[in-house]
Amino acid sequence: MRISLLLLLAPLSLFAQSQGGFKYGAITYVDLQMKDYAPDTSAVALVLNEYGDTYIQDGGSYDLELEYHVRIKILKKEGLRLASYEIPMRIRDSKTESVSTIQASTYNFENNTIKESKLEPKNIFTEATNKYWTFKRFALPDVRVGSIIEIRYVLVSPFIFNWRTWDFQSEIPKLNSEFRAKIPGNYSYNVVLRGPLQLNKNKSDLIKDCIVIGSAKADCALMQYGMSNIPAFREEEYMTAKENFLSSLNFELIEVISFSGPTTRYTEEWKDVDKRLASDENFGDQVKQAKKIWSDPVQLLVQNQTDPLAKAKIIFDAIKKHFLWNENFGAFSENGAKKSYQLKKGNVADINLSLVGALQAAGLQADPVMLSTRKNGLPIMLHPVISGFNYAIARVVIGSDQYWLDATNTLHAFGFVPERCLNGKVRVMSKVSEWVDLKPKDKDKKVTQFSLKPNSDGAITGKLKVVHYGYDAFDQRKLFHSFASAEEYKKSQSKQWGNFEVTDFSYQAVDSLEKPFVEEYGLTFSEEMNADVLYFSPFLIDRWQKNPFRSSKRNYPVDFGAALEEITLLEFEFPPAYEIDELPKSAALTLPQNGGRYLFNMTSLGNKIQMTSNLTLSKSVYSSDEYFLVRELFSRVVQNQQQQIVLKKKK
């Protein structure tokens, strides 16, 4: 949807602008006596009504104002946290948002009447958290299960080019949510409705002569949107930023026509962005500077190498060792190539733009890459929105192969991209930039092997071997290096497992990043093998305790980041004094179109049992239409991994 009228600005005084909305304090006995919400009995609270009105001030600084009003019913003890309320206020370029007024009340049913407890102004606090955000914080008085809380305020923003986003959906359900936007006609926007839910109110009107500046009059576009009976948005595992899937209204500024005539376009074409970023002082210019800075060191590093891939790996390792990441994201340089080189420290872009420059200094085809991390949301692809990117990596092309590189962590192997970056397409900023799918070559793979048998004393002893590949290897190496020594790591692992004693421990390739990380343990079980009936779980470590997919329906994709594979192998020789009473049943379940499978098989011969369990998810992303099958697959996995081997003494 696009709105564009040649008009201007809209008037308002405090709580007087709205011609819609609902009356403050109009609480009903029916709402106060509500015990639960039938469509969602798990809801801890319910938004009874919500209203937002946005407009530009008439006169003065012509700031953007949001008049917000919400009424919430507290249904469960867990919902009491909603009484601790905060209003975020942005700070940017020495400008800050402000709250012009706050009105808040709590309503309870007492002595057959409605009692109102008002928020006192002295209990409203302003707290600055960092250079980007300040918060108004307060706690509503006398809130208990069954209360209704009501809040109304006006938020004033000098950032008039960033029209308010409106989230119809939230973590609690809503009976009704309505949003109005009175937008000056000289502002042109793309208005985008995201999420799976549909509007039940969508209308627009033209307001003639909505404002007067001097002798000039102008018109406004009044847009009204609404939804009813809105389900709560429940965050589950294996998803990217919830902002990608919340039902919400988003306003993307296209252009502004000034009263003196010129038009400023805010939606550029990529060819314009490519040219601008190539010489941007915090982007393209830093690549050029890094190329100069690293030219001599790179020539020394690769002077005896002719193989381009070997050169790239040497340079990548050198950059990783030189820089310490300051834990700050960013698609643009923070310190600059020179200062970062001297400090040996910088943000993501400082390090990875330096990597691009160093690779180019060796004559390799390398480009900077801009992306949005999983928690930041999907990038807008319709047109360039540079503010949507918050991360930069490098791409190097060698022959017909391309490699994605991130030098922010010494444990990143060549070609390894951290999971936070696996968020669909990325923008490769070559001379002519392009969208490219960032598909990881690595899997999230683990192979666990148990070999168990009784010793001469009748105790069960054995060996455990765990081989970690790809993303699992990175996670395990990171865990390993978080301990002061290998011995401390071993103690932590054995304490976590609990049902057996670790007698010895060895490992391989903990720092050989392109190889699998291998751990081997000697085991002795603490349980004595002398009961009449023995119960033995074949999944001794790392089993799926519960299904990560709890909801019966999901309106957004399942995103694992990378393909997943878990293999567990067991060889179990049990004491000859026992016989098998019960074995877990074999299972086989396959997803359509080679999407994945779960195979479980257990066999026995004499007093020996062999088991193979293989969970494979060959895709990194599964659509909401595939959710039911993925959920059923994991239900089968959990069910099988809860089963036990039952042994009984021979008579």
Side-chain angles (χ1 to χ4, degrees):
M1 185 191 317
R2 171 172 169 164
I3 63 107
S4 180
L5 304 171
L6 189 54
L7 23 97
L8 189 86
L9 307 168
L12 176 87
S13 60
L14 177 61
F15 294 146
Q17 172 74 14
S18 297
Q19 297 175 12
F22 54 99
K23 185 178 178 181
Y24 190 91
I27 307 301
T28 69
Y29 289 100
V30 173
D31 288 339
L32 274 170
Q33 291 173 340
M34 180 190 297
K35 301 298 182 185
D36 57 28
Y37 180 51
D40 183 359
T41 56
S42 66
V44 301
L46 171 67
V47 172
L48 300 173
N49 217 335
E50 182 183 43
Y51 182 76
D53 194 8
T54 49
Y55 46 84
I56 301 292
Q57 286 178 339
D58 183 10
S61 59
Y62 295 104
D63 287 332
L64 172 63
E65 296 198 355
L66 165 67
E67 186 176 322
Y68 182 76
H69 187 185
V70 67
R71 187 178 293 158
I72 303 171
K73 171 72 178 185
I74 307 298
L75 296 171
K76 298 182 188 297
K77 184 179 179 181
E78 296 82 358
L80 295 175
R81 58 184 168 77
L82 298 174
S84 297
Y85 203 86
E86 65 179 25
I87 305 169
M89 298 173 288
R90 286 177 293 179
I91 304 169
R92 188 171 62 212
D93 300 330
S94 74
K95 294 181 179 180
T96 182
E97 296 177 329
S98 62
V99 176
S100 64
T101 189
I102 296 173
Q103 186 177 4
S105 300
T106 303
Y107 305 92
N108 290 297
F109 189 63
E110 292 183 4
N111 300 321
N112 293 320
T113 189
I114 297 175
K115 177 188 174 184
E116 179 182 5
S117 302
K118 295 182 179 180
L119 173 70
E120 296 291 337
K122 65 180 181 180
N123 294 325
I124 301 172
F125 304 95
T126 303
E127 298 179 16
T129 56
N130 55 45
K131 63 181 181 180
Y132 303 109
W133 293 99
T134 298
F135 290 86
K136 288 283 187 185
R137 291 192 168 104
F138 54 88
L140 282 93
D142 198 22
V143 180
R144 63 193 86 153
V145 174
S147 298
I148 291 174
I149 60 176
E150 187 167 24
I151 300 140
R152 186 165 62 169
Y153 60 84
V154 173
L155 179 62
V156 182
S157 175
F159 312 121
I160 62 174
F161 296 149
N162 300 103
W163 206 268
R164 289 285 166 189
T165 294
W166 183 259
D167 291 335
F168 286 104
Q169 228 174 351
S170 72
E171 61 179 343
I172 60 174
K174 300 179 181 180
L175 287 182
N176 186 64
S177 180
E178 186 174 337
F179 181 71
R180 291 182 9 142
K182 184 183 282 188
I183 299 182
N186 56 331
Y187 289 73
S188 182
Y189 282 88
N190 280 320
V191 185
V192 180
L193 176 65
R194 292 179 180 170
L197 304 180
Q198 299 299 311
L199 297 166
N200 62 7
K201 184 175 186 178
N202 183 3
K203 60 181 294 189
S204 60
D205 296 294
L206 177 65
I207 301 179
K208 300 291 292 182
D209 299 335
C210 71
I211 192 171
V212 177
I213 297 182
S215 59
K217 295 182 179 180
D219 303 334
C220 294
L222 175 64
M223 295 172 290
Q224 300 177 72
Y225 307 94
M227 284 188 186
S228 298
N229 302 314
I230 306 165
F233 183 86
R234 309 227 189 270
E235 290 190 69
E236 289 201 350
E237 295 187 56
Y238 304 110
M239 62 175 285
T240 53
K242 70 177 182 180
E243 287 75 18
N244 295 333
F245 314 112
L246 276 176
S247 289
S248 62
L249 274 176
N250 299 265
F251 294 78
E252 299 167 2
L253 184 62
I254 301 170
E255 66 182 19
V256 176
I257 304 170
S258 72
F259 295 106
S260 59
T263 297
T264 303
R265 286 195 62 83
Y266 289 85
T267 301
E268 302 174 283
E269 295 183 10
W270 275 110
K271 62 180 181 180
D272 302 318
V273 173
D274 294 344
K275 184 177 180 180
R276 177 164 55 83
L277 289 181
S279 58
D280 188 282
E281 63 177 357
N282 295 314
F283 193 78
D285 190 51
Q286 297 308 318
V287 174
K288 296 171 187 174
Q289 289 192 36
K291 185 177 179 180
K292 294 178 182 177
I293 292 167
W294 283 92
S295 179
D296 290 341
V298 161
Q299 298 310 315
L300 289 173
L301 286 168
V302 301
Q303 60 183 341
N304 297 320
Q305 284 292 343
T306 56
D307 178 37
L309 182 58
K311 287 183 180 180
K313 289 182 177 181
I314 290 170
I315 293 167
F316 178 66
D317 286 339
I319 296 291
K320 284 196 302 178
K321 291 174 183 176
H322 182 85
F323 289 104
L324 176 67
W325 179 36
N326 64 10
E327 303 293 324
N328 290 337
F329 288 2
F332 292 89
S333 176
E334 197 173 72
N335 295 328
K338 183 177 181 181
K339 186 175 179 181
S340 297
Y341 180 81
Q342 294 169 341
L343 294 174
K344 298 185 177 182
K345 189 175 184 179
N347 75 345
V348 162
D350 286 324
I351 295 170
N352 287 329
L353 295 181
S354 293
L355 172 61
V356 173
L359 291 166
Q360 290 179 356
L364 298 170
Q365 182 184 337
D367 300 296
V369 179
M370 304 180 84
L371 61 86
S372 175
T373 57
R374 290 169 71 86
K375 290 187 177 181
N376 191 56
L378 293 170
I380 295 171
M381 297 178 60
L382 183 64
H383 48 77
V385 181
I386 300 304
S387 60
F389 298 106
N390 70 328
Y391 208 95
I393 59 173
R395 184 189 71 168
V396 61
V397 178
I398 299 174
S400 59
D401 295 321
Q402 62 179 356
Y403 300 89
W404 309 102
L405 306 176
D406 183 352
T408 58
N409 193 309
T410 56
L411 296 177
H412 288 174
F414 185 86
F416 177 90
V417 180
E419 185 180 357
R420 58 179 173 261
C421 297
L422 304 180
N423 192 31
K425 291 183 181 292
V426 299
R427 192 75 186 184
V428 178
M429 305 306 296
S430 50
K431 289 184 179 179
V432 178
S433 68
E434 59 179 339
W435 288 108
V436 179
D437 281 315
L438 179 53
K439 294 182 178 179
K441 296 180 179 179
D442 295 289
K443 284 185 176 182
D444 186 352
K445 180 179 177 180
K446 176 164 60 179
V447 178
T448 305
Q449 295 174 267
F450 285 99
S451 178
L452 308 172
K453 63 182 180 180
N455 62 15
S456 57
D457 298 327
I460 297 294
T461 62
K463 294 181 180 180
L464 165 63
K465 181 179 181 181
V466 187
V467 186
H468 307 274
Y469 302 83
Y471 287 91
D472 187 62
F474 170 76
D475 290 339
Q476 206 65 28
R477 285 186 171 109
K478 188 176 179 181
L479 178 63
F480 181 93
H481 284 288
S482 69
F483 290 90
S485 65
E487 180 64 23
E488 291 299 314
Y489 172 78
K490 183 197 82 169
K491 287 180 181 178
S492 173
Q493 292 294 88
S494 59
K495 184 178 180 181
Q496 174 186 330
W497 296 330
N499 54 350
F500 47 78
E501 179 188 350
V502 175
T503 57
D504 55 78
F505 169 58
S506 63
Y507 55 91
Q508 301 170 32
V510 69
D511 293 315
S512 299
L513 304 183
E514 295 186 30
K515 296 180 180 179
F517 174 36
V518 181
E519 305 174 82
E520 294 187 79
Y521 300 86
L523 310 175
T524 298
F525 282 77
S526 54
E527 296 181 12
E528 295 185 13
M529 305 289 286
N530 57 12
D532 290 335
V533 179
L534 296 175
Y535 297 91
F536 183 83
S537 172
F539 292 92
L540 295 163
I541 63 171
D542 298 335
R543 71 170 180 255
W544 290 88
Q545 301 283 359
K546 61 182 180 180
N547 193 334
F549 307 110
R550 302 180 299 278
S551 298
S552 58
K553 186 178 180 181
R554 181 160 164 160
N555 291 320
Y556 50 90
V558 176
D559 192 327
F560 292 97
L564 175 70
E565 188 171 3
E566 292 182 355
I567 299 172
T568 303
L569 306 172
L570 171 70
E571 291 184 356
F572 179 28
E573 181 181 332
F574 56 87
Y578 287 85
E579 62 184 357
I580 296 171
D581 185 54
E582 185 179 337
L583 285 181
K585 295 178 181 179
S586 296
L589 190 64
T590 303
L591 296 178
Q593 301 177 339
N594 297 318
R597 64 181 183 175
Y598 177 59
L599 301 176
F600 177 81
N601 185 54
M602 185 169 284
T603 59
S604 65
L605 181 62
N607 68 326
K608 293 182 180 180
I609 296 172
Q610 287 190 325
M611 181 199 76
T612 301
S613 174
N614 188 327
L615 171 62
T616 301
L617 294 168
S618 53
K619 300 196 299 184
S620 59
V621 180
Y622 294 83
S623 70
S624 57
D625 292 335
E626 297 173 295
Y627 172 72
F628 176 77
L629 294 176
V630 173
R631 180 172 177 259
E632 288 302 302
L633 181 77
F634 274 87
S635 292
R636 184 68 61 88
V637 171
V638 172
Q639 180 183 341
N640 265 79
Q641 294 190 0
Q642 301 304 318
Q643 296 184 86
Q644 293 184 316
I645 298 168
V646 183
L647 305 174
K648 65 180 182 181
K649 267 190 178 178
K650 293 178 181 177
K651 294 183 180 178

